[in-house]
């Protein structure tokens, strides 16, 4: 579970938030695209489903409404963190 812990603390989550707040579409896209790949590799489908529309919107050069989408991503991420103890038991 060490890799999972590292993923849940990945700096790209915070970088994405900051870039969205600053309307830095290029940086936000890079972070979101990286996270999408990592989440896919880990098989975390519900997180991947939350980040896919973020990546798609950023790919179009837009960031409208993405902070609310980011919040949904983070809520889903927190569910994984909260349930991690159940996986270990």
């Amino acid at each position: 579970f060490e890799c999972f812990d590292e993923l849940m603390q990945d700096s790209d989550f915070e970088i994405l938030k900051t870039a969205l707040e600053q309307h830095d579409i290029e940086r936000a896209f890079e972070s979101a695209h990286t996270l999408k790949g990592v989440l896919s590799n880990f098989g975390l489908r519900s997180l991947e489903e939350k980040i896919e529309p973020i990546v798609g919107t950023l790919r179009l050069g837009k960031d409208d409404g993405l902070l609310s989408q980011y919040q949904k991503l983070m809520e889903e991420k927190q569910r994984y963190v909260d349930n991690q103890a159940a996986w270990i038991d």
Side-chain angles (χ1 to χ4, degrees):
F1 288 98
E2 187 175 321
C3 289
F4 177 82
D5 290 339
E6 289 179 23
L7 170 60
M8 292 297 114
Q9 297 173 19
D10 191 306
S11 63
D12 275 305
F13 286 107
E14 192 60 34
I15 292 168
L16 175 57
K17 178 184 177 191
T18 301
L20 289 173
E21 289 171 341
Q22 297 175 351
H23 302 284
D24 185 343
I25 292 173
E26 183 177 338
R27 190 164 147 220
F29 177 77
E30 290 173 9
S31 294
H33 192 264
T34 297
L35 285 169
K36 181 181 176 235
V38 173
L39 295 170
S40 177
N41 287 340
F42 271 83
L44 301 174
R45 188 67 190 133
S46 65
L47 282 170
E48 190 180 356
E49 288 172 355
K50 299 288 185 205
I51 202 155
E52 284 174 343
I54 295 172
V55 172
T57 301
L58 290 167
R59 183 174 276 126
L60 296 173
K62 300 177 182 180
D63 65 357
D64 301 333
L66 291 187
L67 280 172
S68 65
Q69 291 290 329
Y70 173 82
Q71 186 59 40
K72 291 176 185 176
L73 170 69
M74 296 308 287
E75 289 168 4
E76 185 65 17
K77 176 181 166 256
Q78 190 60 47
R79 283 189 203 97
Y80 276 94
V81 170
D82 292 346
N83 290 317
Q84 181 182 4
W87 300 343
I88 296 171
D89 291 344

